Amino acid sequence: MAEIDLNNERRKGVTDYIRYLEMRIQELEAEITYLRREVNYYKQEIEKLLSTPLIEGVVLEILEDGRAIVKSSTGPNLIVNIAGNVDIEKLRPGTHVALNQRGSTIVEVLPIREDPYVKAMEVIERPNVRYSDVGGLEDQIREIREVVELPLKHPEIFKELGIEPPKGVLLYGPPGCGKTLLAKAVAGESQATFISLVASELAQKFVGEGARIVRELFEFARKKAPSIVLIDEIDAIAARRLDIGTSGEREIHRTLTQLLAELDGFDPLDNVKVIATTNRLDILDPALLRPGRFDRVIEVPLPNLRGRYEIFKIHTRKMKLARDVDLMELARLTEGATGADIKAICTEAGYNAIRSSRRYVVMEDFTKAIRKILGNRYRPYVFGSSREKGVDRQVV
Ligand code: ATP
């Protein structure tokens, strides 16, 4: 009996030991998996430390022989091979890529960075500018309503008549006379998204990205339609060229080509309209003005006497004016001033009132402001004397 008990005891002892060993095995296996992971991590870290850095570049062009022209971040444009593992479909002008150390082969396509194009443009969902905020440009407003607002709001009229509205409108004239303001007003009145881009920034700040930014801008405009795309200072990318020798000029040319391709690619009755502005109509590439592109050109000139009066009225709307303030007289005193000058004069007049500890603005605040803002452009007006006689009659 005692012997049987001893045997049972031993068997139980052995079974417990086996169970213990099995648990240990499981624990050790878990530890091995953990340590393998650690080893792999440190191996990768060592590889990273030993690997040579790659060079960042931007694809400018894919050549027919399967190579590519890349603008490298180290400076020159390079003609490089494309490694077998790189999906050539993903390579387009503007794509960011990594080149191997010698800069001879594209080894990786870098993820798209939305940054540059987001930074390059300004988006206002529905600007709250109205035509009543634009002074002295009645003819221009009428024309822009016909060619931008009407097709956006009532494309059916054009379909019924069987005519195509212009895709793009070019506004030209001296700086500060309301081109941008007019574009914002037409977007505001058409309940459209206003997307603007300063072309000179494409040429200076976003080197190598111009064509991609233009492409993505139009993609975005279609998503946000109805929309109005404003390309400010278009002459920076669309000046007539004699030759395109340097790489900077080639880059600008590619940006323009992309813009023309976008304009040619969409239907005039799509609900995207393009407005471009320039101070230099004379230097523009005629390709831009061909039918189906910017085929409506509208001048936004310096305001005449009546225009200046209207602009003073707009910018003094919310100001507390003394009785002696005569807006017509102010318009007379500001011959040659732009809309932007008049806005600055009104603000400065307000400051003059603050400096005199007044809560309202008097005529003298304005005359001082005019002298300050217009400087040597200021010429005291002699009534009935000169250039703007004809316009005077219209107003008085
Ligand atoms: P740029 O060529 O420098 O871009 P622009 O012609 O586009 O100039 P805007 O930016 O529209 O000029 O004008 C600058 C500011 O001047 C406007 O925001 C507005 O406050 C004022 N302004 C200019 N023109 C007018 C106008 N006709 N009526 C009312 N305000 C105006």
Side-chain angles (χ1 to χ4, degrees):
M1 194 62 181
E3 202 170 317
I4 292 173
D5 276 353
L6 196 64
N7 275 345
N8 277 348
E9 197 102 321
R10 260 195 210 139
R11 206 172 296 140
K12 191 168 172 284
V14 171
T15 317
D16 283 352
Y17 187 58
I18 290 173
R19 223 174 268 147
Y20 163 76
L21 287 179
E22 277 172 356
M23 264 170 54
R24 270 304 284 154
I25 289 171
Q26 272 178 5
E27 275 172 20
L28 289 172
E29 271 173 359
E31 207 171 323
I32 288 172
T33 314
Y34 168 76
L35 288 173
R36 276 213 183 106
R37 246 187 248 141
E38 286 275 283
V39 169
N40 277 345
Y41 169 76
Y42 285 112
K43 264 191 190 159
Q44 278 172 7
E45 286 301 295
I46 291 171
E47 255 169 43
K48 276 188 208 163
L49 289 172
L50 292 179
S51 65
T52 46
L54 299 173
I55 300 170
E56 190 207 0
V58 178
V59 175
L60 296 180
E61 215 172 309
I62 308 293
L63 299 176
E64 281 180 2
D65 63 5
R67 292 182 299 169
I69 302 180
V70 172
K71 180 166 186 60
S72 74
S73 53
T74 53
N77 290 353
L78 308 167
I79 297 176
V80 300
N81 295 310
I82 301 168
N85 63 330
V86 170
D87 183 358
I88 199 157
E89 293 293 310
K90 284 192 184 159
L91 295 179
R92 291 202 203 166
T95 310
H96 280 259
V97 291
L99 305 171
N100 66 351
Q101 245 298 295
R102 294 173 55 217
S104 62
T105 305
I106 295 176
V107 290
E108 206 181 315
V109 176
L110 297 175
I112 293 174
R113 284 180 302 180
E114 299 223 300
D115 250 1
Y117 105 94
V118 173
K119 267 194 273 162
M121 63 189 187
E122 181 199 359
V123 180
I124 309 176
E125 285 292 338
R126 275 158 193 40
N128 57 5
V129 181
R130 294 287 173 268
Y131 295 132
S132 55
D133 297 318
V134 185
L137 295 175
E138 289 78 13
D139 290 345
Q140 289 79 352
I141 291 175
R142 190 182 33 73
E143 200 165 354
I144 210 161
R145 289 190 77 171
E146 281 171 18
V147 292
V148 179
E149 187 187 331
L150 194 61
L152 277 180
K153 282 187 165 170
H154 300 288
E156 71 284 351
I157 298 179
F158 291 82
K159 279 184 195 143
E160 210 172 300
L161 283 173
I163 57 165
E164 287 188 347
K167 291 181 187 173
V169 178
L170 182 71
L171 303 178
Y172 77 96
C177 291
K179 297 185 289 299
T180 310
L181 190 69
L182 194 56
K184 277 189 186 156
V186 72
E189 300 267 2
S190 320
Q191 296 285 301
T193 312
F194 177 79
I195 305 168
S196 76
L197 182 81
V198 182
S200 56
E201 291 190 353
L202 286 188
Q204 288 155 15
K205 274 205 218 157
F206 302 102
V207 179
E209 314 258 18
R212 184 165 79 91
I213 291 175
V214 167
R215 197 176 56 238
E216 286 173 10
L217 171 86
F218 277 87
E219 260 168 37
F220 183 72
R222 278 187 208 106
K223 255 190 244 160
K224 288 280 182 182
S227 52
I228 287 174
V229 173
L230 174 73
I231 302 175
D232 232 336
E233 300 176 26
I234 195 159
D235 42 282
I237 56 165
R240 193 185 297 131
R241 290 164 310 269
L242 294 176
D243 67 306
I244 42 173
T246 67
S247 65
E249 282 164 352
R250 273 201 298 275
E251 142 89 15
I252 287 171
H253 182 65
R254 263 189 290 271
T255 309
L256 175 62
T257 310
Q258 184 66 40
L259 173 66
L260 297 181
E262 293 292 342
L263 277 176
D264 293 345
F266 71 78
D267 191 279
L269 286 172
D270 269 358
N271 38 15
V272 176
K273 291 275 163 229
V274 191
I275 300 178
T277 73
T278 182
N279 307 322
R280 298 289 316 271
L281 185 66
D282 55 315
I283 60 164
L284 285 192
D285 189 329
L288 204 68
L289 305 175
R290 260 184 230 141
R293 293 176 176 169
F294 291 99
D295 41 12
R296 190 64 73 98
V297 180
I298 303 176
E299 184 185 4
V300 179
L302 271 179
N304 59 18
L305 182 67
R306 189 190 175 85
R308 295 195 299 277
Y309 171 71
E310 296 293 335
I311 299 172
F312 266 115
K313 242 169 60 183
I314 290 170
H315 290 291
T316 52
R317 247 183 337 217
K318 291 185 187 152
M319 292 172 74
K320 203 164 172 195
L321 302 182
R323 278 171 176 247
D324 72 333
V325 175
D326 178 347
L327 298 186
M328 181 48 73
E329 182 61 17
L330 290 176
R332 286 192 191 105
L333 290 172
T334 47
E335 193 188 331
T338 65
D341 290 333
I342 294 176
K343 184 184 181 185
I345 288 167
C346 293
T347 311
E348 182 61 25
Y351 272 107
N352 287 340
I354 293 172
R355 282 177 205 126
S356 310
S357 313
R358 254 182 289 102
R359 293 294 170 95
Y360 54 91
V361 187
V362 300
M363 188 66 173
E364 204 196 332
D365 295 328
F366 278 101
T367 47
K368 264 195 205 160
I370 291 172
R371 249 171 266 135
K372 179 168 173 189
I373 303 291
L374 298 187
N376 50 16
R377 282 189 289 154
Y378 169 66
R379 268 169 284 147
Y381 184 85
V382 183
F383 187 74
S385 68
S386 65
R387 296 147 285 207
E388 301 207 67
K389 232 171 167 178
V391 191
D392 275 350
R393 249 178 265 124
Q394 269 181 34
V395 177
V396 177

